[in-house]
Amino acid sequence: MNKQRPDIDRIKAAILYVLNKVGETDYHKLFKILYFADQKHLVRFGREITGDQYVAMDRGPVPSETYDLLKHLAGMHSFLSLPEDVAKQFSSFNFRSANRGLRNPIPMVSSNEAPDLDELSASDIDCLSDSIAENKNLSFFDLTEKSHDDAWDKARAALADAQIFEAVMEPVTIAQAGSASQEMLQYITENLAFNQLVAASE
């Protein structure tokens, strides 16, 4: 399991980087852009950008901490509880629901705040930029189909077999679905094992 802790400041910077390039967008497109950016970074460098944990939901991978964060900020039900000073850091975020002829309104998010690029490495920015270029113009259905990759399939299969609460997508399978080399997969596996040992000793 992914033991890297999500970093709220890096999550904010990554979201703002996407919003500054794409403009107002729905959660679905935002999450898929983040997913493919994280996958690229795993394949190339052996780590995710934010450390968020992806869950294989019906319409594709969803970064769980980011989703809870946005739901909390938008006043929706969320399992996340944010201190007031942390919530204020996201005061530039705007939320609304768009009716696109679908059964349920689509949650949208926007912000004019510039991302703090000190929170993102050059490689983070490169992978985010590549994912934005590849995915920003894809439709809801195209993004859903594209994100139903082998990592998503494996997590959904595990959910069905074990009857567990949520279908967690492991970093190794995400990287594998992105065609990572065997050397990089081994590196990710060893790094995750080390992080687990560190977490267990704390």
Side-chain angles (χ1 to χ4, degrees), residues 170-189:
E170 301 295 345
V172 172
T173 60
I174 292 172
Q176 193 170 31
S179 301
S181 68
Q182 287 301 315
E183 291 80 5
M184 185 58 75
L185 293 174
Q186 182 65 29
Y187 171 79
I188 295 168
T189 300

Side-chain angles (χ1 to χ4, degrees), residues 36-138:
F36 288 115
D38 272 327
Q39 185 177 68
K40 288 176 183 296
H41 208 280
L42 276 167
V43 169
R44 298 174 187 175
F45 306 103
R47 69 162 176 84
E48 305 102 318
I49 294 171
T50 65
D52 208 341
Q53 179 173 265
Y54 285 91
V55 176
M57 299 183 70
D58 288 348
R59 300 299 184 180
V62 171
S64 57
E65 189 87 5
T66 301
Y67 188 30
D68 271 344
L69 172 66
L70 294 183
K71 286 194 294 183
H72 179 89
L73 293 169
M76 300 167 61
H77 173 69
S78 168
F79 294 107
L80 185 69
S81 178
L82 286 180
E84 185 176 345
D85 61 326
V86 175
K88 284 182 179 178
Q89 294 180 21
F90 294 84
S91 60
S92 71
F93 282 56
N94 300 305
F95 300 91
R96 72 180 183 92
S97 295
N99 189 335
R100 295 181 176 174
L102 301 175
R103 182 170 54 186
N104 298 316
I106 305 298
M108 308 288 292
V109 60
S110 63
S111 176
N112 291 322
E113 181 182 352
D116 182 356
L117 297 182
D118 289 339
E119 292 292 338
L120 301 171
S121 68
S123 60
D124 294 337
I125 292 171
D126 285 344
C127 290
L128 284 165
S129 296
D130 288 348
S131 183
I132 290 167
E134 292 172 11
N135 299 295
K136 66 178 181 179
N137 294 323
L138 295 183

